[in-house]
Amino acid sequence: NASIEQIQFVNPSNGWMRAEYRDGLFATRDGGETWTYQELNVEPSGSIVDMQFLDEKTGLVLARIEEDDFRIFRTLDGVAWKEVAQVRAPLAAFSFINSTEGWAVGPNGLIAHFQLPAE
């Protein structure tokens, strides 16, 4: 039984949550009445570290694959996820200002800037 680690709503109807030890997210389109699992196809040992949604269709996820192997996944339709970046450094959290530009932080003052491809 996994505990909920993070939840975010972009409006009263649309939201996502991530649970501990899961490689995907749960999405709702009805204010939390029902939840649907969205698989990200993270490696078998991978786990989601952070997530951010900009609107009901645009979201990003930071996933840890191995100790110093992190990936960023993005959705542009709120359902299908695609890997858009790989980072060989430990990251703890991230924040994006739009679907392509963001920053991530890690231990010992690590700050990384991302400029992701548009599609």
Side-chain angles (χ1 to χ4, degrees):
N1 203 1
S3 64
I4 296 173
E5 293 287 311
Q6 189 176 9
I7 190 165
Q8 182 186 353
F9 276 78
V10 295
N11 58 41
S13 297
N14 295 280
W16 288 263
M17 69 176 164
R18 69 177 178 92
E20 182 180 25
Y21 306 120
R22 294 301 299 247
D23 62 352
L25 302 174
F26 294 90
T28 184
R29 302 286 186 234
D30 57 12
E33 291 292 321
T34 60
W35 293 88
T36 304
Y37 184 68
Q38 295 181 340
E39 190 168 349
L40 271 68
N41 295 318
V42 175
E43 307 276 325
S45 62
S47 62
I48 296 174
V49 175
D50 199 5
M51 67 178 193
Q52 181 183 5
F53 291 84
L54 303 171
D55 57 44
E56 61 190 52
K57 292 185 177 186
T58 310
L60 298 118
V61 163
L62 175 64
R64 178 182 180 270
I65 306 305
E66 293 178 3
E67 186 174 339
D68 287 335
D69 182 5
F70 287 75
R71 313 273 171 95
I72 296 176
F73 294 82
R74 179 176 58 201
T75 182
L76 297 174
D77 65 4
V79 178
W81 292 87
K82 180 180 178 183
E83 183 180 318
V84 291
Q86 181 178 9
V87 182
R88 298 282 186 193
L91 300 175
F94 71 169
S95 181
F96 276 75
I97 58 172
N98 57 43
S99 66
T100 60
E101 187 172 13
W103 290 261
V105 295
N108 302 318
L110 173 66
I111 300 173
H113 178 247
F114 293 95
Q115 189 66 47
L116 303 174
E119 288 287 328

